[in-house]
Amino acid sequence: MTLGPSNPFTTALVLASALLAPAAWAQSTDLSACMAELRPAARSGKVSDATWARHTAGLQADFSVIEKLNFQPEFRTAIWDYMSALVDEERVADGAARLAQHRPALARAEERFGVDPATVVAVWGVESNFGQTFGKYPLVQALGTLSCHGRRQSYFRGEFFAALRILQAGHIAPYRFVGSWAGAFGHTQFMPSTFERLAVDFDGDGRADLMDSSVDALGSTANFLARAGWQRGLPWGIEVKLPAGISLAGEGRRSKRPVSEWTARGVRRIDGAALPESLGNVGLLTLASANGPAFLVTRNFDALYSYNAAESYGLAIAHLSDRLSGGSPFVTPWPTDDAGLSRAERRELQGLLMMRGHDIGSIDGMLGDKSREAIRAEQKRLGMEANGRGGQKILKTLRGG
């Protein structure tokens, strides 16, 4: 979860702090001047003097988080690459194991919040790979940096103050308080203000702990989705077949219409069957034009979207939940002649690059700067477009020697 909404309490606080003008700290890693400016707003936000002094003294900026703020994969990565990495056979198998492992807790969450187990586990898988990737950024430093530098400083100040209140209340030990560059943390990557609003003690030990209790994280995620408008028993949507020549102008997730209107326009289920009236009002989601997979999505997709405010992200959770429920991959292929790679294929590609003498760091399935540089070098050598992208073409070419 990244860049989500703050709660009303913190919103009121950060509106006032947003009036602060950029000052002398603009290019400095030393955040002391900025912290001094923020202290009155933090005090109004119930961050004690002791907490402030303990956690902000000597705080230094980490400008790598500003770089990530300006490059978010949900908005920059081709949809077929994004989906291939997030919903692959490896994650489906791991998710099935988690469904079995946490069956009692997930059943309780469904009874209490109305969110089915597959959807909750899909969020867990996409957010942290089932607790295997929490993020490495100290949250006070990351949020402190984002409160003083870059875009959306007013928003991040609210999250910064919320993070300090979490430490102040003793919910999480300072050394454990690490997460994503944007401040999300734990098994299902809640932002600090979201934790304050929606985290629940679901394992009964007296505290909500998203870092070390997967049960608390699953219950809290179900609570989040319920509060976001999730409707019990309603599918997130269905893949559909569009008639030739249909206009997509003005259509989208928000432009919901009765199923009967879509039927009248010639839209059918992907298998050619009639659309189910039980979906209610639905919007048309096409993330790769009319030539790619198309979906009619319900209000439950909007609840998934609210977790991270990216339609590609919402679709990844939706598709993974379907796969965990026994569903198949999308019928319509993505409109590309160079499909994306699963994580296993990405690791294979990294191994092939390493065998050719490239320094790509660890073989982890994450195609970072070193991997992209190596791919670009091989593409150039092979006479391919040297774009640094890891797709099926370069993988198959290197497989062939």
Side-chain angles (χ1 to χ4, degrees), residues 89-344:
E89 296 303 323
E90 183 179 351
R91 206 179 306 273
V92 172
D94 288 347
R98 299 311 192 281
L99 278 170
Q101 177 186 1
H102 293 285
R103 193 179 308 279
L106 290 164
R108 284 194 296 116
E110 183 172 24
E111 179 180 4
R112 179 172 169 183
F113 300 112
V115 185
D116 63 280
T119 296
V120 175
V121 170
V123 173
W124 188 17
V126 169
E127 283 291 351
S128 72
N129 194 22
F130 309 108
Q132 297 179 58
T133 309
F134 279 2
K136 62 184 180 180
Y137 292 89
L139 292 197
V140 171
Q141 182 184 37
L143 288 170
T145 301
L146 292 163
S147 295
C148 299
H149 298 275
R151 298 180 290 109
R152 300 192 66 184
Q153 290 178 24
S154 62
Y155 165 76
F156 285 113
R157 287 168 186 173
E159 297 299 335
F160 182 45
F161 301 158
L164 292 172
R165 289 194 296 269
I166 290 170
L167 291 171
Q168 182 173 282
H171 292 298
I172 299 172
Y175 78 94
R176 290 288 288 141
F177 208 23
V178 297
S180 77
W181 64 268
F185 66 96
H187 282 272
T188 49
Q189 296 286 286
F190 272 24
M191 293 298 289
S193 66
T194 305
F195 176 94
E196 289 188 311
R197 289 188 296 121
L198 300 175
V200 296
D201 171 21
F202 212 57
D203 61 11
D205 69 351
R207 66 190 184 98
D209 180 5
L210 302 192
M211 295 296 294
D212 296 312
S213 173
S214 55
V215 171
D216 282 358
L218 296 174
S220 298
T221 298
N223 185 36
F224 178 102
L225 292 173
R227 295 280 291 274
W230 186 272
Q231 183 175 323
R232 185 190 299 266
L234 180 69
W236 65 267
I238 57 171
E239 187 179 0
V240 295
K241 181 183 296 185
L242 301 178
I246 187 173
S247 173
L248 301 184
E251 304 298 351
R253 172 181 60 85
R254 296 183 182 88
S255 302
K256 291 184 170 56
R257 308 170 185 270
V259 167
S260 59
E261 291 192 20
W262 294 109
T263 297
R265 295 178 67 184
V267 178
R268 297 291 183 268
R269 291 181 64 111
I270 194 62
D271 59 4
L275 300 176
E277 293 288 341
S278 59
L279 293 179
N281 289 349
V282 287
L284 181 63
L285 182 70
T286 54
L287 297 184
S289 79
N291 295 322
F295 313 91
L296 289 180
V297 297
T298 69
R299 58 185 292 182
N300 279 359
F301 185 87
D302 297 336
L304 298 177
Y305 173 88
S306 72
Y307 212 95
N308 195 15
E311 290 177 338
S312 55
Y313 170 91
L315 185 61
I317 292 178
H319 188 40
L320 181 56
S321 70
D322 279 353
R323 296 295 312 279
L324 292 175
S325 299
S328 302
F330 297 143
V331 174
T332 304
W334 296 109
T336 176
D337 63 354
D338 189 14
L341 302 177
S342 69
R343 289 174 297 160

Side-chain angles (χ1 to χ4, degrees), residues 359-377:
D359 174 17
I360 55 93
S362 60
I363 297 178
D364 56 6
M366 304 290 288
L367 300 183
D369 291 340
K370 288 186 176 181
S371 292
R372 289 193 294 271
E373 182 180 348
I375 292 169
R376 192 174 294 109

Side-chain angles (χ1 to χ4, degrees), residues 375-386 394 397:
I375 292 169
R376 192 174 294 109
E378 288 298 313
Q379 289 171 327
K380 185 176 181 179
R381 179 181 68 82
L382 294 163
M384 303 171 68
E385 180 186 356
I394 186 65
T397 301

